[in-house]
Amino acid sequence: MNPKKIKAICLDCGDTLIDESTEVKTAEDISLGANLIPGADKLMHSLKRLGYPLALVADGPVLTFENNLRPYGLYDLFDAVSISGTVGVEKPHPDIFHHAMQQLGIEEVDYKCVIMVGNHLGRDIKGANDVGMISVWLDWSPRRHKLPRNPSEVPQHTIKHPIELLVIID
């Protein structure tokens, strides 16, 4: 039995782990590489060392995430990968979150013990809130709206840097 209250941590990628402004993309919109957001690698390695199951929950082509995260040794830290390019729906659709939870073996009754970290209020936060997860908004990027447009976009927690997630988990 895992004594931890948090059963798993789901993370978006763009402007959550990698800086979207540094992406180099193909004509097919596949990212060939990008820079990490400062502290993202330290966060990922810390979460893994602490024993949390990790899921990548992201929108886009699968190769984008492999190309952006694998060079930093982060892609293989994920225990589950739920990407719109393979699931067939984008966030905030509940199926992309359910797909990740199924891979981790987490029942819907335990979603309240799963954290979802993302930068997009209308996709990451709304999607997490709608399925009953703990929503954590990374307010780092200037590329997305900063004010919730409806109650389902209100995050339960807000952080400015990825590493601050460790404080919320404590």
Side-chain angles (χ1 to χ4, degrees), residues 128-145:
N129 287 339
D130 287 353
V131 298
M133 292 177 171
I134 301 164
S135 59
V136 178
W137 179 44
L138 176 60
D139 180 14
W140 181 84
S141 168
R143 283 172 280 287
R144 305 284 181 248
H145 66 276

Side-chain angles (χ1 to χ4, degrees), residues 108-122:
E108 204 163 340
V109 69
D110 289 325
Y111 285 13
K112 66 186 178 293
C113 299
V114 175
I115 291 175
M116 173 64 199
V117 182
N119 71 303
H120 197 296
L121 293 171

Side-chain angles (χ1 to χ4, degrees), residues 13 21 35 41 43 62 67 74 99-100 103 161 170:
C13 182
S21 72
N35 295 336
D41 53 347
L43 170 67
V62 174
N67 292 342
L74 301 184
H99 183 258
Q103 290 177 67
H161 304 281
D170 272 349

Side-chain angles (χ1 to χ4, degrees), residues 77-90:
L77 296 179
F78 288 104
D79 302 288
V81 175
S82 187
I83 298 173
S84 64
T86 55
V87 178
V89 295
E90 292 185 343

Side-chain angles (χ1 to χ4, degrees), residues 19 24 26 79 83 95 99 151:
D19 180 349
V24 176
T26 67
D79 302 288
I83 298 173
D95 286 355
H99 183 258

